[in-house]
Amino acid sequence: FTYAWKGIGSFICKEHNAWIHLVITIAVIICGFMFHITSIEWIAIIFCIGLVLAAEAFNTAIERLVNLVSPGQNKTAGDVKDIAAGAVLITAITAAIVGLFIFTPYIVVEYFR
């Protein structure tokens, strides 16, 4: 657990994208409390948050490893980093779609009735 927490700390403290995901996470959690979403909706939200943060952490680890083993310009190394970044984008888009499904009805009822 010590090394895992150290890794999470490094990820959060050194990665700009981690901060972006955490800010969005806080906003989503605030909205969840504001709209009193259901337990099932919380499960979906928590799962999406974990998935996106894990994907970003994997991407960070892959990028650091690629930079270590291939510090110069290398097309394959660039492809590896792009694919890992693409995986983060896929999870983030999926999480956004889940968020739209969950929060849109609450927003419509609250602000458009």
Side-chain angles (χ1 to χ4, degrees), residues 9-19 64:
S10 174
F11 169 63
I12 291 171
C13 292
K14 296 179 183 177
E15 289 302 317
H16 180 278
N17 288 343
W19 281 95
R64 289 185 189 180

Side-chain angles (χ1 to χ4, degrees), residues 17-77:
N17 288 343
W19 281 95
I20 293 169
H21 291 301
L22 289 173
V23 166
I24 293 168
T25 293
I26 291 167
V28 168
I29 290 170
I30 289 169
C31 288
F33 284 117
M34 264 180 35
F35 293 120
H36 305 285
I37 63 175
T38 68
S39 295
I40 298 297
E41 291 167 333
W42 273 116
I43 290 168
I45 293 294
I46 291 166
F47 184 79
C48 286
I49 289 169
L51 190 63
V52 171
L53 290 175
E56 187 62 52
F58 284 130
N59 178 53
T60 297
I62 289 167
E63 285 184 353
R64 289 185 189 180
L65 181 60
V66 168
N67 290 342
L68 178 68
V69 299
S70 183
Q73 287 280 15
N74 181 305
K75 184 178 178 354
T76 302

